[in-house]
Amino acid sequence: MSANFEAKKVVVAEITEKIKASKSVVFVDYNGLTVAEVSALRNKCREAGCEYKVYKNTLVRKALNDLGFKDFDSDLNGPTAMAFGKDETGAAKIMATAAKDYEKKITLKSAFVDNSYVDKKGVSALATMPSKEELLAKLLGSLQAPIANLAGVLNNMLAALPRALNAVAEKKA
């Protein structure tokens, strides 16, 4: 076997491992971006805990087919970049923002989330969803509110008792 074939097998294995390790993978068309814009986008991804990477479509297709996913074959045409995210919404948010910032230079294609295919509309919907941490914070706040309200009511009742006793004492005096 040729050295080139072995090198491609290594890259396919790398892509497969990155897909397995990521909670989400967003595919975008990046046609027309300058080097400076790509560098800025990579930095934004890095800050958000994502990785922006460009691989050959045939190698990505092979990796996805090896994992048993053929839905992405039609999306892997033309210049395609991938954003690997550590959570379900982070990469989608970064890429949707980039699509707005670099209008007509970046186009959302699809995503791989929870071992399933997500189309362009689904990626846009993912981008608008709050992250898991934000949802947990809202849930915790909702659970904490009734307890805080009860504590406030009990505190007011305890504070009202001395005032009432003081008023009765002043009235009798």
Side-chain angles (χ1 to χ4, degrees):
M1 291 196 196
S2 70
N4 190 24
F5 182 74
E6 291 300 321
K8 287 180 180 181
K9 282 175 65 175
V10 170
V11 173
V12 168
E14 175 188 332
I15 295 168
T16 303
E17 288 306 312
K18 284 187 179 190
I19 290 171
K20 286 180 181 178
S22 301
K23 295 266 186 169
S24 66
V25 181
V26 178
F27 298 91
V28 296
D29 182 336
Y30 65 96
N31 197 16
L33 283 179
T34 64
V35 173
E37 291 169 337
V38 170
S39 296
L41 183 57
R42 277 199 171 102
N43 289 336
K44 286 179 189 177
C45 286
R46 208 172 293 122
E47 289 169 6
C50 301
E51 182 182 1
Y52 180 87
K53 195 85 172 166
V54 177
Y55 290 107
K56 286 190 166 201
N57 288 334
T58 54
L59 300 179
V60 175
R61 187 177 294 116
K62 173 75 171 129
L64 287 166
N65 289 344
D66 288 350
L67 291 170
F69 299 100
K70 306 229 186 263
D71 298 329
F72 297 94
D73 289 352
S74 62
D75 293 331
L76 294 171
N77 295 314
T80 304
M82 302 167 69
F84 299 93
K86 293 182 180 177
D87 64 359
E88 288 82 1
T89 59
K93 286 181 181 183
I94 295 289
M95 290 299 119
T97 303
K100 289 178 187 171
D101 293 345
Y102 306 116
E103 193 173 328
K104 296 187 181 184
K105 291 184 178 183
I106 290 184
T107 309
L108 300 173
K109 286 186 172 185
S110 61
F112 179 75
V113 180
D114 288 332
N115 291 326
S116 61
Y117 176 82
V118 178
D119 64 356
K120 183 178 179 176
K121 289 181 183 178
V123 176
S124 297
L126 272 174
T128 60
M129 292 176 79
S131 69
K132 185 177 181 179
E133 290 78 22
E134 291 170 330
L135 289 173
L136 287 174
K138 287 180 182 181
L139 176 65
L140 183 61
S142 296
L143 292 174
Q144 220 173 12
I147 295 168
N149 290 341
L150 177 64
V153 168
L154 292 176
N155 192 28
N156 285 339
M157 287 176 53
L158 289 174
L161 181 63
R163 285 189 295 242
L165 291 175
N166 191 26
V168 169
E170 287 178 3
K171 189 174 185 182
K172 288 190 177 187

